[in-house]
Amino acid sequence: MKTTVVALCVFLSCSIAIGSAVLQCEHKELDIPKEWKDMVDPCVHSMRGQIEEELKAAMQYMAMGAHFSKDTINRPGFAKMFFESASEERQHAIKLISYLLMRGELTSRVSELIKRNLAPKTTSWVTGVEALKDALKLEASVTKKIREVIKVCEDNPTKYNDYHLVDYLTGDFLDEQYHGQRDIAGKVSTLEKLMEKHGALGEFLFDKKLLE
Amino acid sequence: MKAFFTVLSVLLVGVLASEEYCYDDVVRACKTTNKLSTSPINCTAKYGAIDGVEEYLQKYVNHHFIRSFEYLLMSTHYANYEKNRLGFEKLFRGLSDETWHDAIELIQYITKRGGEMNFQTVSNDIISEEQQDANFELYELQSIAKALDIEKKLAVEAHRIHGEATRKNSKFHDPEISSHLEHEFMPKHRDTIRKLAGYTSDLSTLLNGPDSSLSLYLFDEYLQKQ
Ligand SMILES: [Fe+2]
């Protein structure tokens, strides 16, 4: 009995001390059942990696936006499109984060989720077509990586098929990837045809079209 | 002495000529008979001291990106089921969005002045932060304190760039840049700093009471409505 009282006093004394000077900033350890948390490590790991991939894509588009904004390049339509793509990619990262949070993940090691290695590799392009082709390749590589995440989450050494996540990635993310890729491929085609005989004029007109 | 005057006059001619760089180049380019002009024409948007201030602005952009990602991590932490503080999540997400969009606007500004973006350049003090194993999973009051420090750093950095652009040295003096910073960036920072400082005042009195958990719950509800 005595020990309980002592323990209680020790426990209380911290809140009492807080009453005078020390603030109570931390809360107690929680005891929440873990049974509902059913994501397996390899799958969580690959999802965390994909968040960084999306942010890398965002920064790559950011570099394209910056390049086409230059006075000596002067392609405001391209710049606008690429800046928007950059923000979209960031939204994809945020969507993946939200999904993991919904499944009870990201309760630890959040600080390591994004590293400071996101600076874009390529920062200048000879033409608009060149940049669009790079964008198409970038999207294709992202698609491939999402497929790899799906594979890991469907079948891994733990033999745990994460139906819901796989469905989300397939139905939501891949859907957007394929539509996006088709759109860029169409743009490459139109622009390349425009430029066949009218290089400078073709790109000029196409750029203004992108501003509409 | 004569040599000195010659040098001086050459310099003067140089200065005078530079005023009509673009026009002279265009005249030369249009005269070229073989149709393809080989030398580039100097008709850039650069004037004033953008060359002197450009690097500071580039760093400023990169610092915005770094902070934007850090705020995103702080927001993520508050959205997990154990923290479950949706108001704090919203607060940090808002800060992350703001720094992200400010970074884009700054890039657009640099290019508006004829400059270009360099994604590699970061200040040494911010590089050294990385070695100290940054932690973004903090308790409520700590996280707001951290955000307040970050915002102040960004605000003071804008002051420093402004200082560079107001040096009475033609390499740096550029009132357009200082005015842009004054009007586009400084008021936003002022408001964010004031808001966060107010939150720390509220929280430090609220957490000084008998039930900090209930206070935090209610404060979080308040943040959700902001
Ligand atoms: Fe994406």
Side-chain angles (χ1 to χ4, degrees):
Chain A
M1 185 59 193
K2 213 167 194 175
T3 46
T4 336
V5 173
V6 172
L8 193 67
C9 282
V10 168
F11 174 74
L12 281 177
S13 73
C14 54
S15 347
I16 291 162
I18 288 145
S20 51
V22 189
L23 303 184
Q24 192 180 339
C25 303
E26 311 188 355
H27 63 69
K28 62 181 171 92
E29 281 288 312
L30 300 166
D31 180 25
I32 304 167
K34 298 270 188 282
E35 289 79 358
W36 66 282
K37 287 180 57 172
D38 59 359
M39 284 190 77
V40 292
D41 279 347
C43 175
V44 174
H45 182 78
S46 64
M47 277 287 276
R48 287 177 70 113
Q50 189 61 31
I51 291 166
E52 218 167 48
E53 288 301 326
E54 299 289 342
L55 291 176
K56 268 188 197 159
M59 294 308 290
Q60 187 55 68
Y61 277 124
M62 193 65 79
M64 292 180 179
H67 171 80
F68 287 96
S69 298
K70 283 192 273 191
D71 59 338
T72 47
I73 306 294
N74 202 38
R75 291 285 174 256
F78 280 94
K80 178 170 166 266
M81 174 178 71
F82 289 134
F83 279 132
E84 281 166 8
S85 304
S87 294
E88 267 169 38
E89 294 307 325
R90 174 175 174 268
Q91 287 303 328
H92 294 166
I94 294 175
K95 266 176 85 173
L96 293 173
I97 289 175
S98 303
Y99 185 88
L100 285 176
L101 288 166
M102 184 274 287
R103 293 287 301 273
E105 293 300 325
L106 298 179
T107 50
S108 64
R109 298 199 302 117
V110 172
S111 303
E112 305 155 37
L113 193 57
I114 306 170
K115 290 180 203 75
R116 285 189 188 176
N117 56 351
L118 302 168
K121 291 200 178 69
T122 316
T123 51
S124 89
W125 291 266
V126 183
T127 58
V129 172
E130 212 67 41
L132 280 174
K133 286 182 181 172
D134 268 8
L136 187 54
K137 284 184 213 156
L138 175 64
E139 290 301 338
S141 82
V142 171
T143 303
K144 206 174 144 211
K145 286 189 175 118
I146 295 173
R147 284 177 52 85
E148 277 156 20
V149 178
I150 292 173
K151 259 187 247 167
V152 172
C153 295
E154 196 168 47
D155 184 27
N156 48 59
T158 61
K159 293 277 166 234
Y160 185 85
N161 186 330
D162 201 322
Y163 300 110
H164 187 266
L165 172 57
V166 168
D167 180 58
Y168 181 64
L169 289 176
T170 316
D172 217 277
F173 271 75
L174 283 185
D175 188 61
E176 196 171 333
Q177 283 306 118
Y178 290 130
H179 281 101
Q181 286 169 190
R182 169 62 184 80
D183 180 59
I184 301 172
K187 285 192 167 80
V188 172
S189 158
T190 302
L191 181 53
E192 206 153 46
K193 281 182 278 184
L194 267 177
M195 291 183 67
E196 201 177 330
K197 292 232 167 51
H198 307 282
L201 182 61
E203 195 179 283
F204 175 85
L205 290 173
F206 191 82
D207 179 66
K208 303 308 168 253
K209 189 89 188 152
L210 289 175
L211 277 176
E212 281 172 14
Chain B
M1 194 61 189
K2 213 168 195 177
F4 172 73
F5 276 114
T6 322
V7 169
L8 193 69
S9 56
V10 166
L11 277 175
L12 276 174
V13 168
V15 169
L16 290 175
S18 73
E19 302 289 311
E20 294 208 331
Y21 260 151
C22 178
Y23 180 73
D24 290 348
D25 281 2
V26 168
V27 169
R28 188 170 22 79
C30 295
K31 259 193 228 151
T32 321
T33 39
N34 62 3
K35 226 183 159 208
L36 283 169
S37 82
T38 41
S39 58
I41 50 174
N42 280 303
C43 295
T44 69
K46 278 187 180 170
Y47 66 96
I50 180 67
D51 281 331
V53 183
E54 186 180 36
E55 200 199 329
Y56 299 101
L57 288 169
Q58 291 166 342
K59 281 185 181 158
Y60 199 37
V61 173
N62 288 325
H63 300 166
H64 273 75
F65 284 127
I66 289 171
R67 299 314 185 195
S68 176
F69 293 140
E70 291 177 353
Y71 283 138
L72 185 58
L73 294 177
M74 289 160 84
S75 147
T76 299
H77 170 63
Y78 279 103
N80 75 39
Y81 75 97
E82 286 174 350
K83 294 304 294 184
N84 208 37
R85 297 256 188 250
L86 302 187
F88 282 86
E89 179 201 12
K90 189 180 165 192
L91 171 69
F92 293 118
R93 181 58 189 290
L95 291 172
S96 176
D97 291 350
E98 255 168 53
T99 39
W100 177 263
H101 292 298
D102 281 354
I104 295 179
E105 272 173 31
L106 276 165
I107 293 177
Q108 288 167 335
Y109 177 71
I110 293 173
T111 58
K112 192 175 275 182
R113 286 301 309 269
E116 60 179 22
M117 182 52 198
N118 173 356
F119 290 88
Q120 302 290 344
T121 155
V122 175
S123 289
N124 286 331
D125 59 316
I126 294 193
I127 292 174
S128 64
E129 276 177 21
E130 211 181 356
Q131 270 109 47
Q132 303 158 12
D133 254 337
N135 179 17
F136 302 101
E137 294 147 274
L138 303 166
Y139 283 101
E140 288 79 356
L141 180 53
Q142 279 97 322
S143 67
I144 290 186
K146 182 158 200 143
L148 180 60
D149 288 347
I150 289 177
E151 285 301 315
K152 281 188 185 170
K153 260 194 194 171
L154 285 175
V156 169
E157 191 174 351
H159 287 182
R160 251 200 331 267
I161 302 171
H162 184 279
E164 291 295 335
T166 39
R167 270 157 58 177
K168 292 261 177 300
N169 161 342
S170 65
K171 210 175 150 258
F172 286 102
H173 185 61
D174 195 320
E176 197 283 325
I177 295 178
S178 42
S179 146
H180 180 79
L181 289 169
E182 279 172 25
H183 295 104
E184 299 300 319
F185 285 87
M186 294 180 181
K188 266 192 276 190
H189 285 138
R190 172 201 63 207
D191 293 343
T192 310
I193 288 169
R194 174 62 184 80
K195 183 175 77 179
L196 293 172
Y199 291 167
T200 56
S201 300
D202 283 341
L203 277 180
S204 45
T205 46
L206 289 172
L207 297 183
N208 200 2
D211 190 348
S212 64
S213 284
L214 181 60
S215 301
L216 283 171
Y217 172 79
L218 291 172
F219 192 77
D220 185 69
E221 295 268 297
Y222 162 76
L223 286 182
Q224 286 182 45
K225 296 191 197 94
Q226 297 309 296

